[in-house]
Every structure is written in C-alpha cells, then in structure tokens.
Amino acid sequence: SFLALRGPGTKSPVLIAAIFISGIGGTFQFGFHISVLTSPSPFIKELVNTTCLQRYSISLEQWEVTLIWSFIVSIFCIGGLLGTLCAGRLSSAYGRKRCLLLNNLFAIGGAGMMLLSKMAMSFEMIMVGRFLYGINAGVSLSIHTMYLVECAPKRLRGIVGVSVSTFLSMGKFSGQLLGISELLGTEDRWPWLLGFSGATALLQLITLPFLPESPKYLLLDRGDRQGCEKAIRRLWGNRDHSAEVEELLVEHASTKGVRSHTVLDLILDQDVRWQFLTILVAFTTLQFSGINAVYLYSFDVFRTAGIPTHQLRHVALGTGLCEVSTSLVCVMVIESTGKKLMLYRGYLCMAVTLGLLTLTLYLQIQVSWMPYCSMLLIFIFIFLFSSGPAGVTVSLPGDIFNQSFKSAAYTIGCTLNWLGLFLLGLLFPVIVENMDYFCFLIFFVFCFLSGMFVWYNVPETKNRTVMEITAEFQRMHPNSGSSGEGRSRPPEPSHIKACTTTKF
C-alpha cells in the first residue's frame, strides 16, 4: 500500500516513518479504547462490587453496578471532548509535533492507573485512567490527522490521509484480538490489557523526536521558509520541490497577517459556509451511519446462523479484520478514485445495505437460510463503511480549509465525533429496546441524505490545492460569499481560475 511513497522519482522513507510513528500513538489509541472494554467488562464489574463490599460493607445491586460501569465507559468521551477542544489552540501555539509528544504523557499516566487498579482494589483508578485516555485520544484524533496531511505532498495527500483511519481500524482490531481469553482477556491479565496503550505511547515518545515538524506549520504559522524547505527535503526526498513550495507560498500570501480563526469565526463566516456544512454532515453521519448498530447485532446474527456462543468472540474478530483489510485497500485506490466519489458512493450503498439488512432480520425467523444473508450484508456494510466514509472523513478538514481555519475545522469535526459517540452510547440502548432491528431505518435516513448532500454540494479534492478547492466551492455555491467576511482571500492566481472549469 506504500508503493506510491517509494515509486519512481519518489523516495520517502521519512514520510513512511512519520505515518507509522504518528499512527501508533495517534488514532490507534482512539480505536483501541473503543473496543478494549468488551472483554474485561465482567472482571471490572466484579472489581466494582468487591471494592464496595470490602471498603463500605455494601453489596451493590445490579442496576448500581451497571450505572458505575456506564460511567466508566462514558468518561472516555468526556475526556476526548476536552482533549479535542484544547487541541486546535495548542497545535497552533506550540506546533503539531510538540503537542503529539506531550500528549503521550496522558496515555502513560492512564496506563499506570490501569495497571495498579486491581492491586489497589480501586475502580476509581480505572475511571481516572479512562479519562486520561480520553484526553489523549481527543488530542491525537485532531493533531495526528493535521500533522500527517500537512507532511504529505499534494499527490499523496489522499493516501496519507486514509492511513489515519487505517490505524484507527488497527486499534479496534488490536483491542478485540488482545482481549481474547488466550491472550490478555483473563481475570489475572486484564489490567495489562487496559494498560497496553502505555507501551504504544512510550514508543511514540521515543521515536517522534527524530521526525521533522509539519512543513505547512513552519511556513504558514511561523513564517520559517528555511525550516519548511528543510522539512520538505527530509520528508519528500532531495528531488526538486519548487512547485509544491510555490503553492505553499501562494497560500502563505493569502493568509499573511491573518490570525488563526476561532470556532465561532468559522461558524459565522459566510465565505466558508459550505465547507462548514460539509464538515457538519460528514462527521455527524460518521457516528450515526449505523456501524455501531451493525457490530452490536452481529453477535445475534452469528448466533442465529448456528455459531456456538463460546466461539462468537473469535468469529467477531472477522469483522474487525474486515475493517482493517478494507482500510488497506482504500489506501491503494483513493488517489485513482477521489474522496468525493468514495464518500457519496459509500453512503448511498450503505443506505441500500441497511434497508436489505432490516428486511433479512425481519425474515430470519420465517426463512431458515436468511441469517446467512444477514451475515453477508454485515460484512458488505463494514466493507462499504471502511472503504468510504471511514477512510475519507477524518482528514477532510485538512483538504477543504486553509491554514487559518484548519485548527478550528478539526476542533468542530472531532467535537461532533465525540458528541455523536456519547449520544449514541446514551440513546442507542433505548432505541434498540423500543425499535429492535428497525433502528437501522434511522441510520438509513442519515446515510441516504448525507450521500445526496455530498453528491450535489461537495467538489472533488483529488490533486487540488486548498485554494483550488475553495474556488470550486465558490463556483458551485456562488451566493455563499456575499457577506464579504472572507478577508483572507487574495485575487485568484491564473492557474486556480483555470481549475474552476474542470469537470469532476
């Protein structure tokens, strides 16, 4: 999947290293903590009950244990939201690389809490650890994406951006794999399972100092042209990069003297209204696409198909492996396909799949072979999600916003992601209890409407600079910039004007 990074005329070993080093301590952590609590949940609930019994001589009722468990799960989202809200401002002030480095301290601190929790007989330490992990994941989700997209040359931006979601999928799969009873999912070893993130954070803390800072940050935020050119040579090799540097200088001229915009500035600015709506729709639907519902119902579908209960967790690893392998395939095809096509095609096909899945679940009692159709549809849905929205959405703010709006755009996108995850965890059990498998029809509406929105309102980003994409947004929505608030936009260079007539 990284052949494009080592192709003719391109030798990018440092860029490849940047992908792996930033990924293992970046979105890998987010994915890992989404899936890792499934396996040790009985042991943690037992620790909660035992702690209260020994400390207060109180035996908790089942609903009380469930309430504490729900808080342990959801506090990760609270930490993630806090990390996201801080990430944009910190990355603009101190740089992408330095923020990623210091962010590892939260993960290492969280790992220490997890490792000592059982020994100290304290479920409160697990809560604190989950909160610290959430801050780490919130910061890394924004800054890992920002750092990598800014380190990549224009023609490889899509491939590098998709690697962000690939590491997220690898984190999910690793949480599932390490959680099986043959590895760390046992009563004795579960603290090591929850503390595993400390090892990946330590690995990034040791290796990240050897990588350069983001070239875009050096030029556009610090005004350090010499440092930018040095970072580009290290990341992209020693060939001639004058064209890419010239494009960065054009963007630098357009934002010169313009401060980094706040979230409120972005929301109110009419000139980037459609870019804002694109982020709003894409990140909201990422959580409300139905992927979590599909994973939840996969156990029931597999059980109905005749798979023994004690083997369900091993079979469920197939769904995680499907997501990882599809993300790797997405890396190979994104530059030839384009992000717009992958987004709207993915969402529309997901909507069709959800409709069919609802039908097969409804008929599985009447028709004996229908559960096998449901199994097939589950894997098709995961394939469509991983090869489309999951692979494209996370890096989208870096493609469609210029440097002055970028931090605010990532803050909005990742905040929507965390709020969606929190609301889904809060409302989804109630929805399932009342609607059962008909809950997929709600997600069908989200996927269908998002697919149509992208199809008609978002330009293609493939092989285009931010300024070219901005010009294309203006061409598609000529009335959006009527407010005159886009003070940072200079007259369009001739090569950008020419691109506005390009068909996509």
Side-chain angles (χ1 to χ4, degrees):
S1 60
F2 294 102
L3 288 177
L5 301 176
R6 300 302 304 271
T10 305
K11 294 186 177 180
S12 311
V14 178
L15 182 57
I16 295 173
I19 291 172
F20 280 100
I21 292 171
S22 61
I24 200 68
T27 50
F28 179 91
Q29 305 280 43
F30 175 65
F32 185 81
H33 291 292
I34 286 177
S35 65
V36 73
L37 279 188
T38 304
S39 175
S41 59
F43 309 126
I44 297 174
K45 290 176 182 177
E46 180 64 27
L47 177 67
V48 170
N49 214 357
T50 305
T51 300
C52 291
L53 191 60
Q54 291 187 2
R55 192 186 299 168
Y56 308 112
S57 299
I58 297 174
S59 180
L60 297 178
E61 295 184 21
Q62 184 60 41
W63 71 267
E64 293 174 313
V65 175
T66 303
L67 184 64
I68 294 173
W69 167 252
S70 300
F71 187 72
I72 290 173
V73 173
S74 61
I75 199 171
F76 177 70
C77 295
I78 298 172
L81 183 59
L82 178 62
T84 292
L85 293 174
C86 297
R89 186 178 294 274
L90 291 175
S91 66
S92 295
Y94 301 107
R96 302 5 176 173
K97 176 181 166 182
R98 188 181 299 177
C99 285
L100 283 175
L101 272 172
L102 296 177
N103 187 43
N104 289 301
L105 298 180
F106 289 104
I108 293 171
M113 290 288 177
M114 296 299 187
L115 290 172
L116 296 173
S117 60
K118 185 180 179 183
M119 187 187 305
M121 290 298 293
S122 173
F123 64 85
E124 295 90 347
M125 293 180 73
I126 298 178
M127 290 181 180
V128 175
R130 286 282 291 177
F131 181 71
L132 293 174
Y133 278 152
I135 295 175
N136 170 265
V139 172
S140 64
L141 188 63
S142 300
I143 301 181
H144 168 209
T145 311
M146 208 182 302
Y147 175 71
L148 269 192
V149 171
E150 291 180 357
C151 283
K154 180 175 66 175
R155 62 192 181 82
L156 298 177
R157 193 174 57 205
I159 293 175
V160 172
V162 170
S163 72
V164 173
S165 63
T166 301
F167 275 95
L168 196 154
S169 299
M170 289 172 64
K172 283 186 189 177
F173 179 68
S174 297
Q176 292 175 320
L177 180 63
L178 292 175
I180 63 176
S181 56
E182 289 82 358
L183 295 175
L184 299 178
T186 65
E187 189 171 2
D188 295 327
R189 295 191 290 265
W190 67 262
W192 293 97
L193 173 65
L194 298 186
F196 178 78
S197 286
T200 56
L202 186 62
L203 178 62
Q204 186 183 77
L205 190 63
I206 294 171
T207 54
L208 190 60
F210 296 100
L211 297 176
E213 178 58 275
S214 152
K216 269 195 170 185
Y217 172 78
L218 291 172
L219 180 63
L220 302 184
D221 288 87
R222 288 189 182 176
D224 184 3
R225 179 172 178 175
Q226 185 177 359
C228 169
E229 291 176 346
K230 182 179 178 181
I232 284 176
R233 285 194 297 272
R234 285 193 63 194
L235 287 164
W236 304 350
N238 291 319
R239 66 181 183 85
D240 181 26
H241 303 293
S242 57
E244 290 93 339
V245 173
E246 187 63 33
E247 288 173 351
L248 286 177
L249 289 172
V250 170
E251 186 176 348
H252 179 53
S254 73
T255 57
K256 193 172 183 179
V258 178
R259 62 180 175 83
S260 291
H261 292 286
T262 65
V263 169
L264 186 60
D265 292 335
L266 192 155
I267 294 172
L268 297 178
D269 196 328
Q270 295 288 334
D271 291 321
V272 291
R273 176 57 50 84
W274 283 97
Q275 290 93 316
F276 167 66
L277 290 175
T278 300
I279 295 301
L280 187 67
V281 170
F283 277 86
T284 300
T285 312
L286 190 65
Q287 287 301 329
F288 289 92
S289 62
I291 185 66
N292 296 297
V294 167
Y295 274 121
L296 175 68
Y297 272 92
S298 63
F299 278 82
D300 292 331
V301 170
F302 295 153
R303 190 183 295 110
T304 306
I307 295 171
T309 303
H310 67 278
Q311 293 183 359
L312 284 176
R313 184 158 290 149
H314 296 81
V315 175
L317 284 174
T319 60
L321 187 60
C322 176
E323 188 171 341
V324 173
S325 57
T326 306
S327 295
L328 293 173
V329 172
C330 184
V331 169
M332 302 178 202
V333 303
I334 186 168
E335 287 302 328
S336 60
T337 306
K339 290 188 176 182
K340 175 180 179 175
L341 178 61
M342 294 178 75
L343 264 180
Y344 80 74
R345 183 180 63 186
Y347 276 133
L348 293 177
C349 291
M350 285 164 63
V352 173
T353 306
L354 286 173
L356 292 173
L357 184 58
T358 305
L359 181 62
T360 57
L361 289 173
Y362 177 73
L363 295 174
Q364 68 181 1
I365 298 176
Q366 291 92 334
V367 183
S368 60
W369 47 266
M370 199 57 72
Y372 298 100
C373 295
S374 299
M375 284 180 62
L376 178 62
L377 288 170
I378 284 173
F379 282 100
I380 290 174
F381 184 86
I382 293 171
F383 173 82
L384 292 170
F385 175 77
S386 303
S387 63
V392 171
T393 304
V394 180
S395 60
L396 197 58
D399 292 332
I400 64 177
F401 285 96
N402 66 30
Q403 197 74 4
S404 62
F405 282 109
K406 194 170 291 184
S407 294
Y410 275 109
T411 299
I412 290 174
C414 294
T415 299
L416 288 169
N417 181 72
W418 287 108
L419 287 175
L421 191 63
F422 180 76
L423 288 174
L424 200 63
L426 194 65
L427 300 176
F428 186 62
V430 179
I431 294 172
V432 171
E433 185 177 345
N434 288 278
M435 297 185 66
D436 202 15
Y437 45 78
F438 287 106
C439 68
F440 288 121
L441 297 179
I442 297 175
F443 304 123
F444 167 87
V445 173
F446 273 96
C447 289
F448 179 77
L449 293 179
S450 296
M452 299 304 292
F453 176 88
V454 173
W455 193 351
Y456 287 105
N457 295 294
V458 180
E460 181 55 78
T461 63
K462 182 175 67 174
N463 294 328
R464 287 178 170 176
T465 65
V466 172
M467 295 189 70
E468 291 169 350
I469 294 167
T470 301
E472 188 63 22
F473 265 111
Q474 284 188 322
R475 188 193 67 80
M476 295 178 73
H477 310 286
N479 297 324
S480 63
S482 58
S483 68
E485 294 182 26
R487 292 175 294 277
S488 64
R489 183 175 294 108
E492 294 179 10
S494 58
H495 70 282
I496 296 176
K497 289 182 180 179
C499 94
T500 62
T501 60
T502 304
K503 295 187 181 297
F504 52 90

